[in-house]
Amino acid sequence: MLSCSVVTSQAFPTVSSPSHAVLQRRKCINSHHRLCSRIARTLARDTVRMRAQHQNRLHVAAMSTKSNNNSKKPKTVTEIKGILTDDIKTRQYLVTGELSEEIYTKFCRISDPTGVIWGVKLYKIILARLFDPQRSSVKLKNISVTGASNIEASWTKEGFLQLPWNPYLTPQEGKTLYTINEDGLICDHKQIWTNMTALQGIRLALTPTKQPQ
C-alpha cells in the first residue's frame, strides 16, 4: 500500500482540483490505449509481411524441388543407353570420371574385380584421380539393351595411372553390366574384366614402367 501511494504521488502530483486529476488520469489512459493500438497495428503488419515472406520461400522451395524432380524424371532403357554411349565413347568416363550422375541412384552399387563401393560421386573421384586422362583412352566396342532393365557395354581401356612410379595399364578387355531400377535410374554398375584377373590388374598398378610419357 505504501508503494502504491508513492507511485501515485509521483505519477499524479497533487492538484487543488479533483476534477483536474481525473481528467489527467483519463488523458494518460487514453495515451496508453493509443500506444497499445499502435503497437498492435505494427505487430499485425509485421506478422502479415513475415507470413508473405514465408509463403514466398515455400513457393521458391517447391519450384526448386519440382525442377529437381523434373531433371530426375524416369528415363527409358533406350534413353539411358544413349547417355551411356556418349559417356563411354565421347566423355571417356572409365578413365576420366566424367559420367552423367543424373542417370544413377545416389548410392548406386559399383563393383569391379578388385572390390565394391557405394555412390557415384565417390566413383567419379576415384576415376579422376586414378587415371591420367591425357595418356589413357577407352574404346567402346558394343553396347546393347539385354533386358527390360539391363544394359551391357563391352570396351577396351588402357593408359597410365597417376602414381609416382608411372604404372601402365595394358589394354584391358571388359564389359559393364548396368541394372536399372523401377525409377528409371541405374542402381547397379558391375564391371567385369575378360582378359585379366584382379591380381593381374593389381600387379600392373604396382609395376613401374618406362613407357613414353
Side-chain angles (χ1 to χ4, degrees):
M1 295 297 291
L2 289 174
S3 61
C4 290
S5 63
V6 171
V7 171
T8 303
S9 63
Q10 291 177 348
F12 305 101
T14 302
V15 294
S16 57
S17 176
S19 60
H20 179 74
V22 171
L23 291 174
Q24 189 174 11
R25 187 177 295 109
R26 287 178 178 175
K27 183 178 180 181
C28 290
I29 292 173
N30 290 335
S31 297
H32 178 71
H33 285 170
R34 285 195 297 271
L35 178 61
C36 290
S37 298
R38 190 180 303 116
I39 293 173
R41 287 194 300 271
T42 301
L43 290 175
R45 185 171 59 251
D46 290 345
T47 300
V48 171
R49 186 179 69 253
M50 287 187 292
R51 285 180 177 175
Q53 292 174 344
H54 179 63
Q55 290 295 329
N56 183 58
R57 285 195 294 268
L58 290 177
H59 176 70
V60 171
M63 292 300 293
S64 177
T65 301
K66 183 178 179 180
S67 176
N68 290 336
N69 288 339
N70 287 338
S71 66
K72 281 282 189 178
K73 65 180 180 180
K75 298 182 183 298
T76 65
V77 178
T78 301
E79 289 174 328
I80 293 177
K81 175 193 169 186
I83 295 173
L84 289 173
T85 300
D86 185 59
D87 281 357
I88 299 172
K89 191 174 182 179
T90 306
R91 304 176 73 185
Q92 301 273 291
Y93 92 85
L94 291 172
V95 295
T96 64
E98 296 181 7
L99 53 77
S100 302
E101 287 188 55
E102 68 272 11
I103 62 173
Y104 294 84
T105 59
K106 185 176 181 180
F107 298 107
C108 176
R109 182 182 187 276
I110 300 172
S111 63
D112 70 12
T114 64
V116 179
I117 62 171
W118 298 86
V120 70
K121 287 186 180 295
L122 177 58
Y123 185 50
K124 289 181 65 174
I125 292 172
I126 291 174
L127 289 178
R129 293 182 179 179
L130 181 61
F131 287 92
D132 181 348
Q134 302 300 322
R135 301 185 297 158
S136 305
S137 64
V138 180
K139 179 180 179 181
L140 177 63
K141 297 169 65 177
N142 182 61
I143 183 167
S144 59
V145 175
T146 58
S149 58
N150 300 97
I151 297 173
E152 180 178 317
S154 57
W155 40 260
T156 300
K157 68 177 178 180
E158 63 177 307
F160 288 87
L161 304 185
Q162 299 187 78
L163 295 171
W165 51 94
N166 195 43
Y168 174 69
L169 180 68
T170 57
Q172 184 184 69
E173 303 286 338
K175 59 183 178 180
T176 305
L177 308 180
Y178 305 90
T179 301
I180 303 166
N181 66 10
E182 58 185 9
D183 296 322
L185 298 171
I186 297 172
C187 61
D188 191 85
H189 175 291
K190 182 178 181 181
Q191 192 176 118
I192 298 172
W193 302 344
T194 57
N195 68 333
M196 67 176 67
T197 64
L199 182 58
Q200 289 172 325
I202 293 173
R203 283 177 178 172
L204 285 174
L206 297 176
T207 303
T209 179
K210 293 183 179 181
Q211 289 284 343
Q213 301 185 27

